[in-house]
Short mmCIF file of all heavy atoms in Angstrom, two decimals:
data_model
loop_
_atom_site.label_atom_id
_atom_site.label_comp_id
_atom_site.label_asym_id
_atom_site.label_seq_id
_atom_site.Cartn_x
_atom_site.Cartn_y
_atom_site.Cartn_z
N TYR A 1 -15.51 8.81 -9.77
CA TYR A 1 -15.84 9.49 -8.52
C TYR A 1 -17.15 10.25 -8.64
O TYR A 1 -17.92 10.34 -7.67
CB TYR A 1 -14.71 10.43 -8.12
CG TYR A 1 -14.89 10.98 -6.72
CD1 TYR A 1 -15.10 10.12 -5.64
CD2 TYR A 1 -14.85 12.35 -6.47
CE1 TYR A 1 -15.27 10.61 -4.34
CE2 TYR A 1 -15.01 12.85 -5.17
CZ TYR A 1 -15.22 11.96 -4.12
OH TYR A 1 -15.39 12.44 -2.85
N GLU A 2 -17.42 10.79 -9.81
CA GLU A 2 -18.72 11.46 -10.00
C GLU A 2 -19.86 10.48 -9.78
O GLU A 2 -20.87 10.82 -9.13
CB GLU A 2 -18.78 12.06 -11.42
CG GLU A 2 -17.84 13.23 -11.63
CD GLU A 2 -17.81 13.69 -13.08
OE1 GLU A 2 -18.49 13.05 -13.92
OE2 GLU A 2 -17.11 14.68 -13.38
N ARG A 3 -19.71 9.27 -10.30
CA ARG A 3 -20.76 8.27 -10.11
C ARG A 3 -20.85 7.85 -8.64
O ARG A 3 -21.94 7.67 -8.09
CB ARG A 3 -20.48 7.04 -10.98
CG ARG A 3 -20.38 7.33 -12.46
CD ARG A 3 -20.52 6.09 -13.33
NE ARG A 3 -19.67 4.99 -12.94
CZ ARG A 3 -18.47 4.73 -13.44
NH1 ARG A 3 -17.94 5.56 -14.34
NH2 ARG A 3 -17.78 3.67 -13.05
N LEU A 4 -19.71 7.68 -7.99
CA LEU A 4 -19.72 7.28 -6.59
C LEU A 4 -20.29 8.39 -5.70
O LEU A 4 -21.02 8.11 -4.74
CB LEU A 4 -18.31 6.91 -6.14
CG LEU A 4 -17.71 5.64 -6.75
CD1 LEU A 4 -16.28 5.45 -6.29
CD2 LEU A 4 -18.55 4.42 -6.41
N ARG A 5 -19.95 9.63 -6.00
CA ARG A 5 -20.52 10.74 -5.23
C ARG A 5 -22.03 10.76 -5.36
O ARG A 5 -22.75 11.01 -4.37
CB ARG A 5 -19.94 12.08 -5.72
CG ARG A 5 -18.51 12.34 -5.27
CD ARG A 5 -18.44 12.67 -3.79
NE ARG A 5 -19.04 13.96 -3.48
CZ ARG A 5 -19.47 14.33 -2.30
NH1 ARG A 5 -19.42 13.50 -1.28
NH2 ARG A 5 -19.98 15.54 -2.10
N ALA A 6 -22.53 10.50 -6.56
CA ALA A 6 -23.97 10.48 -6.75
C ALA A 6 -24.63 9.37 -5.95
O ALA A 6 -25.81 9.47 -5.57
CB ALA A 6 -24.28 10.31 -8.24
N ALA A 7 -23.86 8.31 -5.66
CA ALA A 7 -24.38 7.20 -4.87
C ALA A 7 -24.14 7.38 -3.38
O ALA A 7 -24.46 6.49 -2.58
CB ALA A 7 -23.74 5.90 -5.34
N GLY A 8 -23.55 8.52 -2.99
CA GLY A 8 -23.39 8.81 -1.57
C GLY A 8 -22.02 8.52 -0.99
O GLY A 8 -21.84 8.62 0.23
N TYR A 9 -21.04 8.18 -1.81
CA TYR A 9 -19.70 7.88 -1.31
C TYR A 9 -18.82 9.13 -1.33
O TYR A 9 -19.00 10.03 -2.16
CB TYR A 9 -19.02 6.81 -2.17
CG TYR A 9 -19.69 5.47 -2.10
CD1 TYR A 9 -20.68 5.11 -3.01
CD2 TYR A 9 -19.33 4.55 -1.12
CE1 TYR A 9 -21.30 3.87 -2.95
CE2 TYR A 9 -19.94 3.31 -1.05
CZ TYR A 9 -20.92 2.98 -1.96
OH TYR A 9 -21.54 1.75 -1.88
N THR A 10 -17.88 9.17 -0.42
CA THR A 10 -16.85 10.20 -0.44
C THR A 10 -15.49 9.52 -0.34
O THR A 10 -15.38 8.38 0.14
CB THR A 10 -17.00 11.20 0.71
OG1 THR A 10 -17.08 10.49 1.95
CG2 THR A 10 -18.24 12.05 0.52
N ALA A 11 -14.46 10.21 -0.78
CA ALA A 11 -13.12 9.61 -0.79
C ALA A 11 -12.08 10.70 -0.58
O ALA A 11 -12.30 11.87 -0.90
CB ALA A 11 -12.88 8.90 -2.12
N ARG A 12 -10.95 10.28 -0.05
CA ARG A 12 -9.78 11.14 0.06
C ARG A 12 -8.55 10.36 -0.39
O ARG A 12 -8.47 9.15 -0.16
CB ARG A 12 -9.59 11.65 1.50
CG ARG A 12 -10.66 12.64 1.94
CD ARG A 12 -10.37 13.24 3.30
NE ARG A 12 -11.37 14.22 3.66
CZ ARG A 12 -11.33 15.51 3.32
NH1 ARG A 12 -10.31 15.95 2.59
NH2 ARG A 12 -12.28 16.35 3.68
N SER A 13 -7.61 11.08 -0.99
CA SER A 13 -6.46 10.40 -1.60
C SER A 13 -5.16 11.11 -1.28
O SER A 13 -5.12 12.33 -1.10
CB SER A 13 -6.64 10.32 -3.12
OG SER A 13 -7.78 9.57 -3.47
N GLY A 14 -4.10 10.33 -1.22
CA GLY A 14 -2.75 10.86 -1.02
C GLY A 14 -1.75 9.96 -1.72
O GLY A 14 -2.09 9.21 -2.64
N TRP A 15 -0.50 10.03 -1.27
CA TRP A 15 0.56 9.24 -1.86
C TRP A 15 1.28 8.46 -0.77
O TRP A 15 1.44 8.94 0.36
CB TRP A 15 1.60 10.12 -2.57
CG TRP A 15 1.07 11.01 -3.64
CD1 TRP A 15 0.82 12.35 -3.54
CD2 TRP A 15 0.73 10.65 -4.97
NE1 TRP A 15 0.36 12.84 -4.73
CE2 TRP A 15 0.29 11.82 -5.63
CE3 TRP A 15 0.76 9.45 -5.69
CZ2 TRP A 15 -0.12 11.83 -6.95
CZ3 TRP A 15 0.35 9.45 -7.02
CH2 TRP A 15 -0.08 10.62 -7.64
N LEU A 16 1.72 7.26 -1.10
CA LEU A 16 2.59 6.48 -0.23
C LEU A 16 3.87 6.14 -1.01
O LEU A 16 3.81 5.88 -2.21
CB LEU A 16 1.92 5.17 0.21
CG LEU A 16 0.64 5.29 1.03
CD1 LEU A 16 0.08 3.90 1.32
CD2 LEU A 16 0.89 6.03 2.34
N THR A 17 4.99 6.15 -0.34
CA THR A 17 6.25 5.74 -0.97
C THR A 17 6.45 4.25 -0.70
O THR A 17 6.61 3.83 0.44
CB THR A 17 7.43 6.54 -0.41
OG1 THR A 17 7.21 7.92 -0.66
CG2 THR A 17 8.73 6.10 -1.07
N SER A 18 6.43 3.47 -1.76
CA SER A 18 6.52 2.01 -1.64
C SER A 18 7.93 1.57 -1.28
O SER A 18 8.91 2.27 -1.56
CB SER A 18 6.09 1.35 -2.95
OG SER A 18 6.19 -0.05 -2.87
N SER A 19 8.01 0.40 -0.69
CA SER A 19 9.32 -0.17 -0.34
C SER A 19 9.97 -0.89 -1.51
O SER A 19 11.08 -1.41 -1.37
CB SER A 19 9.16 -1.14 0.84
OG SER A 19 8.25 -2.18 0.51
N THR A 20 9.30 -0.94 -2.65
CA THR A 20 9.85 -1.63 -3.81
C THR A 20 9.39 -0.93 -5.08
O THR A 20 8.52 -0.05 -5.04
CB THR A 20 9.41 -3.12 -3.81
OG1 THR A 20 10.06 -3.81 -4.89
CG2 THR A 20 7.90 -3.26 -3.97
N ALA A 21 9.97 -1.30 -6.21
CA ALA A 21 9.60 -0.73 -7.49
C ALA A 21 9.77 -1.78 -8.57
O ALA A 21 10.70 -2.60 -8.53
CB ALA A 21 10.45 0.49 -7.83
N GLY A 22 8.85 -1.82 -9.52
CA GLY A 22 8.96 -2.72 -10.65
C GLY A 22 8.55 -4.14 -10.37
O GLY A 22 8.32 -4.92 -11.30
N GLY A 23 8.45 -4.54 -9.12
CA GLY A 23 8.10 -5.91 -8.74
C GLY A 23 8.26 -6.08 -7.25
O GLY A 23 8.57 -5.14 -6.52
N GLY A 24 8.02 -7.30 -6.77
CA GLY A 24 8.13 -7.55 -5.34
C GLY A 24 6.91 -7.07 -4.58
O GLY A 24 7.03 -6.48 -3.50
N SER A 25 5.72 -7.37 -5.12
CA SER A 25 4.48 -6.90 -4.50
C SER A 25 4.38 -7.33 -3.05
O SER A 25 3.82 -6.61 -2.21
CB SER A 25 3.27 -7.44 -5.28
OG SER A 25 3.31 -7.03 -6.62
N TRP A 26 4.90 -8.52 -2.73
CA TRP A 26 4.80 -9.01 -1.36
C TRP A 26 5.53 -8.11 -0.37
O TRP A 26 5.16 -8.03 0.80
CB TRP A 26 5.31 -10.44 -1.27
CG TRP A 26 6.76 -10.61 -1.64
CD1 TRP A 26 7.83 -10.59 -0.80
CD2 TRP A 26 7.29 -10.81 -2.96
NE1 TRP A 26 9.00 -10.77 -1.51
CE2 TRP A 26 8.71 -10.92 -2.84
CE3 TRP A 26 6.72 -10.93 -4.23
CZ2 TRP A 26 9.54 -11.13 -3.94
CZ3 TRP A 26 7.56 -11.14 -5.32
CH2 TRP A 26 8.95 -11.23 -5.17
N LEU A 27 6.57 -7.41 -0.83
CA LEU A 27 7.29 -6.49 0.04
C LEU A 27 6.42 -5.28 0.37
O LEU A 27 6.37 -4.83 1.51
CB LEU A 27 8.59 -6.05 -0.62
CG LEU A 27 9.58 -7.16 -0.98
CD1 LEU A 27 10.80 -6.57 -1.69
CD2 LEU A 27 10.01 -7.93 0.25
N ALA A 28 5.73 -4.76 -0.64
CA ALA A 28 4.85 -3.61 -0.41
C ALA A 28 3.67 -3.99 0.47
O ALA A 28 3.29 -3.25 1.38
CB ALA A 28 4.37 -3.06 -1.75
N GLN A 29 3.07 -5.12 0.19
CA GLN A 29 1.90 -5.54 0.96
C GLN A 29 2.25 -5.74 2.44
O GLN A 29 1.53 -5.30 3.33
CB GLN A 29 1.32 -6.81 0.36
CG GLN A 29 0.71 -6.61 -1.02
CD GLN A 29 0.41 -7.91 -1.74
OE1 GLN A 29 0.44 -8.99 -1.16
NE2 GLN A 29 0.14 -7.83 -3.04
N SER A 30 3.37 -6.40 2.68
CA SER A 30 3.78 -6.62 4.08
C SER A 30 4.18 -5.30 4.75
O SER A 30 3.95 -5.12 5.94
CB SER A 30 4.93 -7.63 4.15
OG SER A 30 6.03 -7.23 3.36
N THR A 31 4.75 -4.38 4.00
CA THR A 31 5.11 -3.08 4.55
C THR A 31 3.87 -2.32 5.01
O THR A 31 3.82 -1.79 6.13
CB THR A 31 5.89 -2.25 3.52
OG1 THR A 31 7.15 -2.85 3.28
CG2 THR A 31 6.11 -0.82 4.00
N LEU A 32 2.86 -2.26 4.15
CA LEU A 32 1.65 -1.53 4.50
C LEU A 32 0.94 -2.16 5.70
O LEU A 32 0.52 -1.46 6.63
CB LEU A 32 0.70 -1.47 3.32
CG LEU A 32 -0.56 -0.65 3.62
CD1 LEU A 32 -0.51 0.70 2.93
CD2 LEU A 32 -1.83 -1.39 3.26
N LEU A 33 0.81 -3.47 5.69
CA LEU A 33 0.01 -4.14 6.71
C LEU A 33 0.72 -4.25 8.05
O LEU A 33 0.08 -4.27 9.10
CB LEU A 33 -0.40 -5.53 6.21
CG LEU A 33 -1.32 -5.54 4.99
CD1 LEU A 33 -1.49 -6.96 4.47
CD2 LEU A 33 -2.68 -4.94 5.32
N SER A 34 2.06 -4.31 8.05
CA SER A 34 2.81 -4.50 9.29
C SER A 34 3.32 -3.22 9.91
O SER A 34 3.68 -3.20 11.09
CB SER A 34 4.01 -5.43 9.04
OG SER A 34 5.01 -4.75 8.29
N GLY A 35 3.39 -2.13 9.12
CA GLY A 35 3.99 -0.92 9.65
C GLY A 35 5.50 -0.99 9.76
O GLY A 35 6.11 -0.22 10.49
N LEU A 36 6.11 -1.91 9.04
CA LEU A 36 7.57 -2.05 9.00
C LEU A 36 8.06 -1.81 7.58
O LEU A 36 7.36 -2.15 6.61
CB LEU A 36 7.97 -3.46 9.43
CG LEU A 36 7.68 -3.86 10.88
CD1 LEU A 36 7.80 -5.37 11.04
CD2 LEU A 36 8.64 -3.14 11.83
N TRP A 37 9.26 -1.26 7.46
CA TRP A 37 9.83 -1.04 6.12
C TRP A 37 10.46 -2.35 5.65
O TRP A 37 11.56 -2.72 6.06
CB TRP A 37 10.86 0.07 6.16
CG TRP A 37 11.33 0.49 4.80
CD1 TRP A 37 12.54 0.22 4.22
CD2 TRP A 37 10.61 1.28 3.85
NE1 TRP A 37 12.60 0.78 2.98
CE2 TRP A 37 11.44 1.43 2.72
CE3 TRP A 37 9.34 1.85 3.84
CZ2 TRP A 37 11.03 2.16 1.59
CZ3 TRP A 37 8.94 2.57 2.72
CH2 TRP A 37 9.77 2.73 1.62
N ILE A 38 9.74 -3.08 4.80
CA ILE A 38 10.19 -4.40 4.35
C ILE A 38 10.54 -4.28 2.87
O ILE A 38 9.66 -4.27 2.00
CB ILE A 38 9.10 -5.46 4.59
CG1 ILE A 38 8.76 -5.52 6.09
CG2 ILE A 38 9.56 -6.82 4.08
CD1 ILE A 38 7.65 -6.49 6.44
N ASP A 39 11.83 -4.17 2.60
CA ASP A 39 12.29 -3.93 1.23
C ASP A 39 13.24 -5.01 0.72
O ASP A 39 13.90 -4.82 -0.30
CB ASP A 39 12.97 -2.56 1.13
CG ASP A 39 14.18 -2.44 2.04
OD1 ASP A 39 14.40 -3.34 2.89
OD2 ASP A 39 14.92 -1.45 1.90
N SER A 40 13.33 -6.13 1.46
CA SER A 40 14.25 -7.19 1.05
C SER A 40 13.76 -8.52 1.57
O SER A 40 12.93 -8.59 2.50
CB SER A 40 15.66 -6.91 1.61
OG SER A 40 15.65 -6.99 3.03
N ALA A 41 14.27 -9.60 0.97
CA ALA A 41 13.88 -10.94 1.39
C ALA A 41 14.27 -11.23 2.85
O ALA A 41 13.48 -11.82 3.58
CB ALA A 41 14.50 -11.98 0.45
N PRO A 42 15.47 -10.86 3.31
CA PRO A 42 15.78 -11.12 4.72
C PRO A 42 14.82 -10.42 5.68
O PRO A 42 14.42 -10.98 6.70
CB PRO A 42 17.21 -10.59 4.87
CG PRO A 42 17.80 -10.72 3.51
CD PRO A 42 16.67 -10.39 2.59
N ARG A 43 14.44 -9.20 5.37
CA ARG A 43 13.47 -8.50 6.23
C ARG A 43 12.12 -9.21 6.19
O ARG A 43 11.44 -9.34 7.21
CB ARG A 43 13.34 -7.04 5.81
CG ARG A 43 14.50 -6.16 6.23
CD ARG A 43 14.21 -4.69 6.04
NE ARG A 43 15.17 -3.86 6.76
CZ ARG A 43 14.88 -2.73 7.40
NH1 ARG A 43 13.64 -2.28 7.40
NH2 ARG A 43 15.82 -2.05 8.03
N TYR A 44 11.72 -9.62 5.01
CA TYR A 44 10.43 -10.30 4.88
C TYR A 44 10.44 -11.60 5.66
O TYR A 44 9.47 -11.92 6.37
CB TYR A 44 10.14 -10.56 3.40
CG TYR A 44 8.79 -11.19 3.14
CD1 TYR A 44 7.61 -10.49 3.38
CD2 TYR A 44 8.70 -12.49 2.65
CE1 TYR A 44 6.37 -11.06 3.14
CE2 TYR A 44 7.47 -13.07 2.41
CZ TYR A 44 6.31 -12.35 2.65
OH TYR A 44 5.09 -12.93 2.42
N GLN A 45 11.52 -12.36 5.57
CA GLN A 45 11.60 -13.62 6.31
C GLN A 45 11.59 -13.38 7.82
O GLN A 45 10.94 -14.12 8.57
CB GLN A 45 12.87 -14.38 5.90
CG GLN A 45 12.84 -14.95 4.49
CD GLN A 45 11.71 -15.96 4.31
OE1 GLN A 45 11.43 -16.79 5.17
NE2 GLN A 45 11.05 -15.88 3.17
N ALA A 46 12.29 -12.34 8.26
CA ALA A 46 12.28 -12.03 9.69
C ALA A 46 10.87 -11.66 10.15
O ALA A 46 10.43 -12.06 11.24
CB ALA A 46 13.26 -10.88 9.98
N PHE A 47 10.16 -10.91 9.33
CA PHE A 47 8.77 -10.57 9.66
C PHE A 47 7.91 -11.82 9.77
O PHE A 47 7.09 -11.95 10.70
CB PHE A 47 8.21 -9.62 8.59
CG PHE A 47 6.71 -9.61 8.52
CD1 PHE A 47 5.95 -9.09 9.55
CD2 PHE A 47 6.06 -10.11 7.40
CE1 PHE A 47 4.55 -9.09 9.48
CE2 PHE A 47 4.68 -10.12 7.32
CZ PHE A 47 3.92 -9.60 8.37
#
C-alpha cells in the first residue's frame, strides 16, 4: 500500500462473511456477484 499510495492510489478495506468455508469457491463467487446467499448446490443450480 505504501508503494501504491506513492503512485497515487487509495484503498479502503472491510470484511465480508462468505457463504462457504474451506472450498466451494463457486458458491462465494456467485454470492458476491448475484447478491443472493448461495451456500449449496441446489441454490447454485436454481441461480
Side-chain angles (χ1 to χ4, degrees):
Y1 190 52
E2 291 173 357
R3 302 197 310 266
L4 292 176
R5 284 288 291 159
Y9 294 92
T10 53
R12 291 186 177 274
S13 298
W15 303 102
L16 298 178
T17 300
S18 179
S19 58
T20 185
S25 301
W26 62 93
L27 301 177
Q29 293 167 12
S30 56
T31 292
L32 183 106
L33 295 172
S34 72
L36 295 165
W37 188 254
I38 301 177
D39 60 350
S40 66
R43 284 191 165 218
Y44 183 67
Q45 290 299 319
F47 158 67

